[in-house]
Amino acid sequence: MNENTIQNKIYEVRGIKVMLDYDLAALYEVETRVLNQAIKRNAESFPEDFMFRLTVEEWNSLSSQVVMMSSQLVMTSKRPKTALPYVFTEHGVTMLASVLRSSKARKVNIAIVRAFISLRKMVLNIEYLQEQILQLEAKYDSQFEDIYDAIQFLMIENKEIEAKNERAKIGYKN
């Protein structure tokens, strides 16, 4: 299972990284309907922080941002227009392995969890780099401020010298 392929199927909704039900169904090689039936039979295993249904606004926003591949179009075209997709957090995806109970589900779950971990590491790395940049800016901004002040002083002094040289000279001309 390619980690980049999985990472491309992880979206952010309500500030949470999630995966859509039809993407998970495709990864598990089951129909979305079958996946959702298994979830309904085990509803107590999927609290709101593991899985939730998208609102119309969230679905419209998400579907407009996502470039849908032909396989995704097939999956969504089978979905009734009124049925909004479910999304699963990292914990919800982990719970799916126990609900589906197949070796394929366990293997896919391992790959998906690794993709979530990889994304989390990237975010932490980005946050660390942002902090480093802010520290460098704070350190060097004060130094550049001194240089900027010196340049401003020289520019003003240069203008004063030019103004003196432009005055009409008094006295004899050679």
Side-chain angles (χ1 to χ4, degrees):
M1 184 73 31
N2 185 351
E3 194 172 298
N4 286 336
T5 303
I6 295 171
Q7 284 180 355
N8 290 334
K9 295 176 185 287
I10 298 174
Y11 307 103
E12 189 165 326
V13 176
R14 302 179 192 175
I16 305 168
K17 299 286 188 200
V18 296
M19 292 187 75
L20 294 160
D21 58 0
Y22 61 84
D23 283 336
L24 288 165
L27 290 171
Y28 293 128
E29 297 176 357
V30 297
E31 290 182 40
T32 307
R33 173 184 58 81
V34 172
L35 179 90
N36 288 333
Q37 284 174 348
I39 292 160
K40 286 177 185 173
R41 282 193 301 270
N42 297 283
E44 70 281 351
S45 298
F46 295 96
E48 186 75 15
D49 57 330
F50 283 25
M51 173 196 86
F52 55 91
R53 190 179 292 274
L54 293 177
T55 64
V56 173
E57 296 82 21
E58 289 168 339
W59 175 236
N60 289 338
S61 173
L62 190 62
S63 60
S64 68
Q65 294 172 19
V66 177
V67 177
M68 299 212 174
M69 294 181 238
S70 60
S71 64
Q72 290 176 326
L73 289 173
V74 169
M75 299 298 265
T76 56
S77 65
K78 291 181 180 178
R79 178 184 302 279
K81 300 267 187 226
T82 57
L84 296 167
Y86 286 107
V87 291
F88 296 83
T89 65
E90 181 178 357
H91 302 296
V93 170
T94 304
M95 189 59 72
L96 279 173
S98 66
V99 170
L100 295 176
R101 296 185 188 126
S102 70
S103 71
K104 175 74 175 178
R106 283 189 291 279
K107 289 176 186 174
V108 169
N109 259 32
I110 290 169
I112 291 171
V113 169
R114 285 183 178 150
F116 272 105
I117 290 168
S118 178
L119 280 175
R120 193 176 306 116
K121 285 180 182 178
M122 283 193 310
V123 167
L124 290 174
N125 199 15
I126 289 170
E127 289 173 354
Y128 173 76
L129 291 174
Q130 287 175 333
E131 180 63 31
Q132 293 297 318
I133 289 170
L134 290 174
Q135 288 176 2
L136 288 172
E137 283 178 352
K139 177 181 176 182
Y140 290 111
D141 275 354
S142 62
Q143 292 176 2
F144 285 116
E145 189 174 316
D146 294 341
I147 293 170
Y148 179 73
D149 290 343
I151 291 171
Q152 285 292 101
F153 175 77
L154 291 174
M155 288 173 57
I156 292 170
E157 187 176 300
N158 191 28
K159 286 180 183 176
E160 290 173 359
I161 293 171
E162 286 177 6
K164 287 181 184 177
N165 289 338
E166 291 177 5
R167 287 190 298 199
K169 293 189 179 186
I170 302 173
Y172 296 106
K173 294 184 180 180
N174 296 14

